[in-house]
Amino acid sequence: MREALRVAGLGGVVLLLFGLVSYAWTGRFDLWVAVHVASGSVLVAASVALNLARFRRSVAARATRERARAATGALLVVGILVALNVAAARRPLQWDLTESRIHTLSEKSRAVLRGLPAPVEAFAFVAAGSPERARLEPLFARFAAEGGDRFRWRFVDAEADPRLADALGVRREGVVAVRSGERIARSVDGIDRLAEGELAKLVVQVSRTGARVVYLVSGHGEPDASDVESASGAGLLAKVLEEESFTVRPLLLPAAGTIPADAALVLLAGPRKPLDPREVELLRGFARDGGRLLLMLEPGAEPGLDALLADWRIVPGDDLVIDQVVTPFEGTSLGAAPLVSDFPDHAATRGFRENVVVSIARTVSPSDHGGLPGVTARVLARTSPSSWAETAWREALREGRVGLDDADRPGPVPIAVAAEAEGGKGRVVAIGDADFAMNARLGSYFNREFLVNLAQWLTGAEDLIVEPPRGLRASRLDLSDADTRNLFRFCVLLLPEALLIVGLAVGWRRRTL
């Protein structure tokens, strides 16, 4: 009987130990833990009480004390390891050691998430089993960690949940929809291109209140904003702006008689006829009072905007930009559709390193003098060094021959200028081309992104200008021979060496007692 109780006591120790380990691992003192701890404690107490004399003799024995010390030391080590693992599981710490910190949200994204005025939900429509889920999950997890209870997300299989897809206006896989209240924003590009900046922009779009109205001026031969079929139409331009949460409306200045009060931006794209002086004065007053203008000026057109452009220190050139064009299998030739890839540092083109293609463009330059007080004008985009501004361009087009001479302006030449009043109260952007934003060209290269960046900057939404994703760059840690030797000694030799020394010391101490 006594031997059975002794075995039961050992069993009680096992139950008690596993109950405590379960509590340490799960952090919950539930029924499982309670049963283990209670039954283990009862068995241990009963075994000790009924074998008290034997227990006292065993405790008093030297061998028992040695085993108890060894067991206590082992349990202490195990306890420390368990505690460290539990702490690491509950409060994980990460260090982003990549050179461009690709695993860390930018300060802009963190500010957006910390300042969310209302809960935001993100739905990633990615089929189950798609490798894109593994790529996107860390990105969403970082947003959720920063946004707290205000940002929630989940993957959605559109085939398994078609009602949610319909409610969010999603018609295909590979789309991220973000919702806050009644506002919904959806990614435009493929999900394989979704990066931190695009996701942050979607969050801002649904969390920002207030309409942003863009008025497209008409009546002077401007492209039709409802035409999405012809190459020269501006239907895609209007559609792109609407995808960016702008409200696009036409504006017939002679009939309106004034600029609407809700105008966040007035866009004048390639007028072929001059504006009436009264219309020009309306635009001048609008910009002078803090309004925002986007002007697209075709070569040879005289829209009568000289006074307006002079107010903002912008000088359009009477020329045509010529550049080398490389055609596959035909080599290099001269053309009037130069690629633009030089974007000086500016908030409107922050981090923009892509190519934009223009067609039949003129130069637009900033001026250092004149204009309204406090206005500054800066170059937004320049052509390549191989280009130039052809001054005798009308003869060149008529004769079909062109060449750089002393009267021409050598490249690189500016084709876009951004002007801003002091304190950002008024902003004007002038571009020496309108074709780049029309149906035939808007989808070429990064014309669309360039246009959207300009609209966002003009309307004061710099936080919606998406920076290019931070990419991986090969990097390595160079170790010298001495570094390699020291790393090997500390990682491989030091711990077992220390344990052996401590073991020898303990053995020597026991022999001397």
Side-chain angles (χ1 to χ4, degrees), residues 45 114 142 191 236 280 339 352 406:
R114 287 194 297 265
R142 287 194 288 273
I191 204 165
L236 293 184
V280 176
L339 277 178
F352 199 88
D406 294 339

Side-chain angles (χ1 to χ4, degrees), residues 214-446:
V214 177
Y215 284 93
L216 301 186
V217 177
S218 60
H220 315 90
E222 294 88 351
D224 185 357
S226 63
D227 179 8
V228 295
E229 300 294 336
S230 66
S232 59
L236 293 184
L237 182 153
K239 184 178 179 182
V240 164
L241 293 177
E242 289 170 350
E243 289 174 349
E244 297 295 326
S245 301
F246 289 100
T247 300
V248 180
R249 295 173 183 166
L251 176 62
L252 185 59
L253 275 177
T258 183
I259 305 293
D262 62 348
L265 173 65
V266 174
L267 196 161
L268 180 62
R272 288 182 290 161
K273 294 291 183 181
L275 277 69
D276 184 84
R278 191 172 64 87
E279 297 174 275
V280 176
E281 287 305 311
L282 282 176
L283 294 177
R284 289 183 72 185
F286 172 70
R288 193 167 51 238
D289 294 338
R292 315 299 170 92
L293 291 177
L294 177 54
L295 309 174
M296 301 178 183
L297 310 173
E298 289 283 279
E302 298 297 337
L305 300 175
D306 293 348
L308 169 62
L309 294 172
D311 285 345
W312 295 88
R313 297 186 175 182
I314 298 173
V315 181
D318 184 18
D319 47 31
L320 181 68
V321 179
I322 305 295
D323 199 356
Q324 291 183 352
V325 179
V326 178
T327 305
F329 309 112
E330 296 181 6
T332 302
S333 60
L334 296 176
L339 277 178
V340 180
S341 56
D342 182 6
F343 302 94
D345 185 39
H346 191 277
T349 53
R350 181 179 53 230
F352 199 88
R353 304 183 187 90
E354 308 297 345
N355 291 318
V356 172
V357 61
V358 296
S359 178
I360 317 293
R362 69 197 299 177
T363 62
V364 178
S365 306
S367 174
D368 295 330
H369 57 274
L372 297 172
V375 168
T376 57
R378 297 167 58 188
V379 174
L380 271 184
R382 285 189 292 245
T383 56
S384 70
S386 62
S387 65
W388 73 88
E390 177 66 47
T391 54
W393 62 279
R394 293 179 179 83
E395 294 80 358
L397 290 179
R398 188 167 52 249
E399 299 173 1
R401 293 185 303 174
V402 68
L404 177 63
D405 54 40
D406 294 339
D408 297 328
R409 181 178 179 182
V413 294
I415 63 159
V417 169
E420 185 175 14
E422 191 172 9
K425 295 180 179 178
R427 290 177 176 177
V428 175
V429 168
I431 308 173
D433 181 41
D435 296 327
F436 86 99
M438 299 301 112
N439 294 343
R441 295 275 184 181
L442 190 57
S444 301
Y445 294 90
F446 285 80

Side-chain angles (χ1 to χ4, degrees), residues 105-169:
L105 293 182
S106 66
E107 183 56 39
K108 170 185 165 185
S109 298
R110 291 200 295 270
V112 168
L113 293 168
R114 287 194 297 265
L116 286 177
V120 171
E121 298 175 286
F123 304 91
F125 285 84
V126 183
S130 170
E132 287 299 325
R133 289 199 172 197
R135 186 184 71 83
L136 293 173
E137 186 169 0
L139 175 63
F140 282 108
R142 287 194 288 273
F143 270 64
E146 193 68 37
D149 295 337
R150 298 254 166 164
F151 183 88
R152 298 184 182 278
W153 72 279
R154 65 184 171 100
F155 286 118
V156 180
D157 190 330
E159 294 184 359
D161 198 347
R163 295 182 61 183
L164 179 61
D166 288 340
L168 296 172

